[in-house]
Amino acid sequence: MIRSGLILMIKDSAEKGKSAYAISKELGISKNTAKKYMEQPAQVHELKGSHKGSKLDPYKPQLHEWMSQGIFNCEVLLERLQGLGYHGGKSILKDYVHPYRPARSAPAVQRYETPNGKQAQMDWGICQYMDKEGQMHKVPVFVMILGTSRVKYIEFVKRCDLRSMERCILNAFCYFGGVPKEILTDNMKTVVIGREGGKIIWNPQFEDFAVDMGFLPKVCKVRRPQTKGKVERLVHYVKDNFFPGRSFVDLEDLNRQALAWCKKADSKVHGTTGKIPLRELASENLQELPAQEVMDRYRWELRRVTREGFVSFDGVRYGVSWQYSGKDVQVRLHNGEIEIYFGEVLVAKHTTQYTSGKILWLPGQYKGLAERNGIAGPYSVAQEQDIQVETRDLDFYDRLLRGVSYG
């Protein structure tokens, strides 16, 4: 009797149209043997279809009833089965229960697609980079995505406080060319300061900002960040796709690369929508941007000039004339420059620096300081003036002494 492998080779050759003689020569067997197995019908293996009984079989109906009640702990199930007379092992039970066990993942959520122009989602992420000395640093990244077109905006910053967030939102609106009706975010302190009776208590400054910009703030449910899944995925996309291996000179250079990356990514077909985001941007029907003076109002930050005549902004000290020491000034980042105003007077302008710890001096910053002993205000003294005194003839005074009237 020949082996089953050889029989399969005979049948395979026969299906290809080879004769018994050709098969016998090819496989080194007799012609009659080849002919025998070519004509033999396929037989069902004697083990095929057989089922070895399991000690668990009699208890499976009861087991399914318990699982329908949400009981999947095999220790509990084993104890209950043993109470019914089960003598099998725990491994058989675990193998059987495993396919029915619910997946250990976040609870399912309903997918929402927002109407055009209705919603944008925003969030913060934290990336890490290594400087030239090998030291690790963290840099916050602001992320916003439009709900329908999926056009995205990202910006790396020095800090993620309220003023920085407002600037980023403004920059995103200008990049999109309009304002969405809603912005969905999580319960960050710059947006929400608490809840009372289930009602959200908004950060007053952010609430004023939202009113002036013309959007309605929305927050996802507490501990349910997946409800803003679009921006959550984008944060991971930035960390995993854009940032790894990225080389940059400073924050300005990094943000130039970030916008170029956004435009490149948004010029491709989106995996979910099947459309090109930048082409869909026009259909978002965004609201118009606020007036320029309204937007400019939120680009200013209040700072106090130090005694040495410096203003600190994003970790860099910018010089101001010493006469403004101790005074409050308004600072803004504008077209790559730091502008410092006292009232409506521009008192200093510097090229923006992105490396923390730098000091930028203002030309003539201390001019006149020594002469005035560092006192910027006026001295409390009298003032000498030139006065024109009328010159009279001496005869006038003689007449005056004798009591003679003159004139």
Side-chain angles (χ1 to χ4, degrees), residues 19-34:
S19 65
Y21 177 76
I23 295 173
S24 67
K25 293 296 184 183
E26 183 179 325
L27 300 178
I29 58 177
S30 67
K31 179 182 176 181
N32 289 337
T33 301

Side-chain angles (χ1 to χ4, degrees), residues 127-198:
C127 296
Q128 289 186 314
Y129 69 93
M130 184 180 295
D131 65 17
K132 290 176 287 188
E133 284 73 35
Q135 297 293 320
M136 293 297 295
H137 300 272
K138 294 181 179 180
V139 56
V141 57
F142 171 86
V143 177
M144 181 178 283
I145 184 169
L146 294 177
T148 303
S149 65
R150 302 302 204 275
V151 174
K152 44 193 161 283
Y153 176 83
I154 65 175
E155 181 176 348
F156 291 87
V157 293
K158 286 290 187 70
R159 49 196 162 89
C160 44
D161 59 1
L162 178 59
R163 289 303 182 192
S164 185
M165 184 180 72
E166 288 173 348
R167 275 204 314 273
C168 289
I169 293 174
L170 277 174
N171 293 339
F173 289 167
C174 293
Y175 179 76
F176 296 146
V179 180
K181 295 180 179 65
E182 296 178 359
I183 292 186
L184 179 65
T185 180
D186 58 19
N187 293 266
M188 57 183 71
K189 292 183 179 180
T190 49
V191 175
V192 176
I193 60 175
R195 279 177 166 78
E196 187 174 312

Side-chain angles (χ1 to χ4, degrees), residues 216-232:
L216 184 66
K218 295 280 186 178
V219 292
C220 52
K221 294 181 179 179
V222 179
R223 293 183 292 277
R224 293 292 297 277
Q226 64 270 22
T227 53
K228 56 179 181 61
K230 297 180 182 71
V231 75
E232 289 283 331

Side-chain angles (χ1 to χ4, degrees), residues 367-383:
K367 184 179 179 180
L369 182 146
E371 291 81 354
R372 296 187 59 83
N373 294 319
I375 304 299
Y379 289 116
S380 179
V381 294
Q383 187 172 3

Side-chain angles (χ1 to χ4, degrees), residues 52-271:
K52 184 179 180 180
S54 168
K55 294 180 180 179
L56 193 59
D57 287 345
Y59 306 97
K60 286 180 180 178
Q62 181 61 57
L63 189 57
H64 278 276
E65 184 178 343
W66 289 332
M67 288 191 293
S68 69
Q69 298 170 6
I71 305 172
F72 294 94
N73 187 316
C74 288
E75 289 289 347
V76 175
L77 293 173
L78 179 62
E79 184 177 343
R80 293 191 177 193
L81 288 174
Q82 288 173 341
L84 298 178
Y86 173 68
H87 298 291
K90 184 179 177 181
S91 297
I92 300 175
L93 177 61
K94 290 178 67 175
D95 291 342
Y96 185 78
V97 170
H98 179 73
Y100 301 97
R101 189 186 300 275
R104 291 184 179 180
S105 60
V109 295
Q110 181 178 347
R111 181 183 184 86
Y112 292 99
E113 289 296 341
T114 54
N116 291 347
K118 182 180 181 182
Q119 188 185 92
Q121 298 181 5
M122 60 166 257
D123 203 355
W124 290 100
I126 301 294
C127 296
Q128 289 186 314
Y129 69 93
M130 184 180 295
D131 65 17
K132 290 176 287 188
E133 284 73 35
Q135 297 293 320
M136 293 297 295
H137 300 272
K138 294 181 179 180
V139 56
V141 57
F142 171 86
V143 177
M144 181 178 283
I145 184 169
L146 294 177
T148 303
S149 65
R150 302 302 204 275
V151 174
K152 44 193 161 283
Y153 176 83
I154 65 175
E155 181 176 348
F156 291 87
V157 293
K158 286 290 187 70
R159 49 196 162 89
C160 44
D161 59 1
L162 178 59
R163 289 303 182 192
S164 185
M165 184 180 72
E166 288 173 348
R167 275 204 314 273
C168 289
I169 293 174
L170 277 174
N171 293 339
F173 289 167
C174 293
Y175 179 76
F176 296 146
V179 180
K181 295 180 179 65
E182 296 178 359
I183 292 186
L184 179 65
T185 180
D186 58 19
N187 293 266
M188 57 183 71
K189 292 183 179 180
T190 49
V191 175
V192 176
I193 60 175
R195 279 177 166 78
E196 187 174 312
K199 184 180 180 181
I200 296 172
I201 303 175
W202 301 101
N203 183 318
Q205 289 179 274
F206 181 77
E207 190 173 27
D208 291 342
F209 173 74
V211 171
D212 286 341
M213 293 301 106
F215 68 85
L216 184 66
K218 295 280 186 178
V219 292
C220 52
K221 294 181 179 179
V222 179
R223 293 183 292 277
R224 293 292 297 277
Q226 64 270 22
T227 53
K228 56 179 181 61
K230 297 180 182 71
V231 75
E232 289 283 331
R233 287 189 292 273
L234 180 54
V235 170
H236 290 294
Y237 192 43
V238 171
K239 290 182 178 181
D240 299 336
N241 186 290
F242 169 76
F243 207 71
R246 182 73 51 176
S247 298
F248 58 94
V249 177
D250 52 30
L251 213 59
E252 185 180 24
D253 178 39
L254 180 60
N255 280 325
R256 277 197 298 265
Q257 295 184 45
L259 280 185
W261 177 81
C262 285
K263 291 177 180 177
K264 183 178 180 180
D266 288 341
S267 299
K268 301 176 182 178
V269 175
H270 193 273

